[in-house]
Amino acid sequence: MKFETIEELYQNRFQIIFKHLICMGCSKENAEDIVQNTFCKAVENMLHLEVTNLSAWLFKVAIHQFYDLCRKEQRFPKVNIDDQAFIDLLIQKEAGEEFLLQKEFHKEICNILDGLKPSYKNLLILKYDLCLSYEEISVMLDMKVETIRVTLYRARKEFEKKWSETNGKRA
């Protein structure tokens, strides 16, 4: 394995970790703080860390810090809406209707994702929202590529099942 410095890891992984935290419902400010704290922990513990995949370690530390923040504030992650974009699109009637339909569709997807196991939700977000390859997810989570493929398959099937149940109730 190629040895990466903290600076190289920061440059390569900051955006991915940050975007994943945002997708999980973390506010922009909290996501920035969590990423910063994660890399500070890496610097503080650099001499004592004995991990084979520092990238995966950073990712896991960031997610655990987000979970700790959620427990501390006794709330569940919420998806943030860009208020200005919302208002701008509502001003344009055609685009506003389309925007509202997309928001409703997005809300349904988020509700179904929230009903899945956290591991399924995280993998689906990494694959389809952040557009990471199986190999990139494998490196990030320190898991075998085949394990990622199988788990994503199961996550998709579970998502499809819940989607069918939700849409079947409407009909």
Side-chain angles (χ1 to χ4, degrees), residues 128-142:
Y128 298 107
D129 196 32
L130 298 179
C131 301
L132 297 178
S133 68
Y134 291 118
E135 291 76 19
E136 290 172 321
I137 296 171
S138 170
V139 168
M140 183 161 283
L141 298 179
D142 197 23

Side-chain angles (χ1 to χ4, degrees), residues 25-27 29-30 33-34 65-78:
C26 190
S27 70
E29 295 80 17
N30 286 337
D33 290 343
I34 289 171
Q65 284 187 25
F66 174 64
Y67 291 153
D68 290 344
L69 178 67
C70 289
R71 279 192 295 274
K72 179 180 174 186
E73 295 179 1
Q74 295 181 346
R75 63 173 175 78
F76 294 101
K78 302 284 186 229

Side-chain angles (χ1 to χ4, degrees), residues 20 120-137 148-149 152 156:
H20 185 69
Y120 285 0
K121 178 182 176 180
N122 285 335
L123 283 176
L124 288 171
I125 289 172
L126 288 171
K127 179 66 179 162
Y128 298 107
D129 196 32
L130 298 179
C131 301
L132 297 178
S133 68
Y134 291 118
E135 291 76 19
E136 290 172 321
I137 296 171
I148 299 292
R149 288 182 203 271
L152 264 170
R156 280 191 301 268

Side-chain angles (χ1 to χ4, degrees), residues 142-156:
D142 197 23
M143 295 170 67
K144 294 179 184 176
V145 174
E146 194 56 38
T147 304
I148 299 292
R149 288 182 203 271
V150 170
T151 308
L152 264 170
Y153 174 80
R154 291 176 183 160
R156 280 191 301 268

